[in-house]
């Protein structure tokens, strides 16, 4: 984490279990990526990101992405990114509703026959999601270079 910051990159530190969240926070992570896929069993659980968001809230740590846009007041201490398993606008919106401002979406886009249509269908802008529903939202600053770091087992890693 310190090396990445020394060269101007804010690292995304990946967690799955709450014990990994403890290590990431102790190590000074500001951008937390929550892998919804358990890499030991490969089981997918889209609730995992919501569990981490709930735990951060219980600990009094701020992360709501919408707060980054405020001109006055405190910026969030952390940013949270949902990793793995999202394939629809509903998936993106469920995380938006708990303050998660970033989703890493890969496999569903790679499998899509038209990636542009698939991206538009994710309704990444909340206004697009609201409009789609009427028919049938600190630690991260825009433009900051980021890197994903996996496999941290202790704060010294």
């Amino acid at each position: 984490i310190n090396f990445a910051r020394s060269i101007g990159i804010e690292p995304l530190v990946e967690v799955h279990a709450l014990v990994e969240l403890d290590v990431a926070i102790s190590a000074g992570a500001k951008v937390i990526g929550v892998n919804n896929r358990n890499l030991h069993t490969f089981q997918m659980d889209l609730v995992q990101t919501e569990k981490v968001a709930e735990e951060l809230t219980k600990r009094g740590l701020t992360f709501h992405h919408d707060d980054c846009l405020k001109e006055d007041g405190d910026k969030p201490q952390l940013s949270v990114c949902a990793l793995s398993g999202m394939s629809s606008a509903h998936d993106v919106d469920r995380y938006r509703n708990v303050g998660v401002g970033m989703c890493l979406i890969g496999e569903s886009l790679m499998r899509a026959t038209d990636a542009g249509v698939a991206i538009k269908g994710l309704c990444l802008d909340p206004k697009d999601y609201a409009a789609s529903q009427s028919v049938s939202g600190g630690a991260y600053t825009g433009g900051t270079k980021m890197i994903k770091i996996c496999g941290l087992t202790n704060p010294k890693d």
Side-chain angles (χ1 to χ4, degrees):
I1 292 174
N2 289 334
F3 176 74
R5 288 181 181 149
S6 77
I7 59 172
I9 299 172
E10 185 60 47
L12 179 151
V13 179
E14 182 177 320
V15 305
H16 174 75
L18 293 181
V19 68
E20 296 167 337
L21 178 64
D22 293 336
V23 173
I25 290 171
S26 294
K30 291 183 180 179
V31 181
I32 307 288
V34 184
N35 197 335
N36 292 313
R37 184 186 320 269
N38 180 326
L39 297 178
H40 298 287
T41 65
F42 296 101
Q43 291 280 116
M44 188 68 68
D45 181 7
L46 293 180
V47 175
Q48 200 61 32
T49 297
E50 293 163 320
K51 288 178 185 175
V52 168
E54 181 180 338
E55 182 62 24
L56 291 171
T57 300
K58 284 181 186 174
R59 295 180 186 193
L61 296 168
T62 58
F63 63 91
H64 281 258
H65 188 70
D66 289 342
D67 292 342
C68 292
L69 304 175
K70 290 181 179 175
E71 300 220 2
D72 58 343
D74 294 329
K75 299 291 184 192
Q77 296 161 303
L78 304 170
S79 279
V80 178
C81 180
L83 310 174
S84 298
M86 287 77 59
S87 61
S88 72
H90 295 293
D91 295 334
V92 172
D93 194 60
R94 78 185 284 177
Y95 297 129
R96 183 184 295 125
N97 286 327
V98 296
V100 174
M102 297 181 284
C103 293
L104 183 138
I105 302 167
E107 184 177 347
S108 65
L109 295 179
M110 302 254 321
R111 293 181 185 276
T113 54
D114 185 330
V117 170
I119 290 169
K120 185 171 174 141
L122 290 169
C123 298
L124 299 176
D125 184 323
K127 294 177 208 150
D128 293 339
Y129 184 76
S132 76
Q133 297 308 294
S134 65
V135 172
S136 28
Y140 176 73
T141 303
T144 302
K145 298 175 204 164
M146 297 178 64
I147 187 169
K148 176 182 171 189
I149 298 177
C150 304
L152 286 181
T153 57
N154 65 65
K156 291 185 180 182
D157 286 350

